[in-house]
Amino acid sequence: MRFKLLILLGILSIIGCKENKQKTPIEPKNFELIKTEPIDSILKNELELIAVEDQTMRLMLPDVAKRFGSASSEEKYIWSLIHLQDSICLNKTIKILNEHGWLGKSRVGSKANQAIWLVIQHAELEKQEKYLPLLKKSVEIGESEGWHLAFLEDRILMRNEKSQIYGSQATWDKTIGKMKIYPIEDVKNVNKRREKIGLEPIEEYAKQNGYIFDQKVMK
């Protein structure tokens, strides 16, 4: 009797093992583990703070100009503070760029990623040209916005006294006392180029920002 019981237990044990093996999920042959790099909270917070430092006094300019007048001593003082803050932000950002490269959206999020562009957009020409290739690569792999690259390329071209491509840059026209869109290369097709990177038509852009635009565009 005892021998029969041992045989029965052995059979049940074998059946149980087979059932457990059958319940184990089988991975497909082409299974690939999708790895996503977690958001770097330290760099994210640092860059988002840099963006605040870059933008805060710039956002005050319209009120200062309205209250004290354009080119007033008060406005010039605000600009002196902006230039000082820009140099501080640039030093912080260059350190990050040299250590980590142009940090993308998947690593630090959209706001922090845009902060890098903001600082370089406000930097001197030499720094803009130096870090432009990093932004180009970031855009190519989908880690930065195409319009970031468009704005930076346009500013570099303008500073080198060449026609811009996307019409993002405007300069002060003393004769009319207003900001005017800087000359655009192949202007008749500018809206096609802008559309490809998600920008509104040049006419809308000029109107929204109070810029004068008097170049002919293909309808």
Side-chain angles (χ1 to χ4, degrees):
M1 183 69 181
R2 184 177 179 185
F3 179 71
K4 291 181 178 179
L5 181 60
L6 289 172
I7 292 174
L8 178 61
L9 290 173
I11 293 171
L12 290 173
S13 177
I14 292 171
I15 294 172
C17 289
K18 287 183 178 180
E19 288 179 349
N20 287 337
K21 287 181 180 179
Q22 290 174 349
K23 291 179 181 178
T24 303
I26 300 174
E27 294 178 353
K29 292 182 180 179
N30 61 347
F31 175 81
E32 291 182 2
L33 180 62
I34 300 175
K35 296 180 180 180
T36 55
E37 193 172 5
I39 294 287
D40 190 322
S41 59
I42 295 177
L43 286 170
K44 176 179 181 291
N45 292 338
E46 184 177 356
L47 283 166
E48 287 183 355
L49 178 58
I50 288 174
V52 171
E53 294 170 345
D54 176 275
Q55 288 293 292
T56 299
M57 281 184 285
R58 281 183 166 86
L59 294 173
M60 295 169 59
L61 281 170
D63 290 334
V64 172
K66 184 178 180 180
R67 182 173 180 181
F68 300 103
S70 181
S72 63
S73 298
E74 289 80 3
E75 186 183 53
K76 291 177 181 177
Y77 174 66
I78 293 295
W79 270 114
S80 69
L81 295 178
I82 289 173
H83 294 320
L84 177 62
Q85 186 61 55
D86 281 352
S87 64
I88 295 171
C89 290
L90 181 61
N91 289 335
K92 293 179 183 178
T93 304
I94 285 177
K95 183 180 178 181
I96 292 173
L97 283 167
N98 291 342
E99 289 182 8
H100 305 281
W102 200 289
L103 293 165
K105 294 180 285 186
S106 65
R107 178 84 180 274
V108 293
S110 297
K111 289 183 179 179
N113 167 256
Q114 182 168 307
I116 302 174
W117 166 74
L118 279 172
V119 173
I120 299 302
Q121 186 74 3
H122 296 145
E124 61 267 24
L125 178 59
E126 179 188 356
K127 293 295 190 296
Q128 291 177 336
E129 292 177 331
K130 179 179 179 179
Y131 293 103
L132 178 65
L134 292 182
L135 176 55
K136 280 185 177 180
K137 181 62 177 177
S138 184
V139 171
E140 285 174 5
I141 61 176
E143 284 294 324
S144 293
E145 300 295 335
W147 64 268
H148 291 177
L149 180 59
F151 272 65
L152 184 55
E153 286 182 328
D154 274 358
R155 183 156 293 186
I156 289 173
L157 286 168
M158 182 182 72
R159 285 181 161 183
N160 283 311
E161 299 182 352
K162 297 179 181 179
S163 297
Q164 59 180 327
I165 300 170
Y166 299 96
S168 65
Q169 304 300 297
T171 55
W172 182 257
D173 189 318
K174 294 180 180 179
T175 59
I176 60 176
K178 292 183 179 180
M179 294 292 287
K180 187 176 180 179
I181 297 290
Y182 189 77
I184 303 170
E185 181 181 350
D186 185 26
V187 66
K188 65 186 180 200
N189 291 307
V190 66
N191 283 335
K192 293 179 181 179
R193 298 193 293 271
R194 291 175 65 88
E195 185 179 5
K196 286 181 180 179
I197 56 173
L199 291 175
E200 70 275 65
I202 188 69
E203 296 87 352
E204 290 182 21
Y205 173 71
K207 185 177 180 180
Q208 290 169 4
N209 291 279
Y211 299 156
I212 299 299
F213 177 69
D214 57 4
Q215 302 173 55
K216 294 182 180 180
V217 178
M218 182 180 291
K219 300 298 183 181

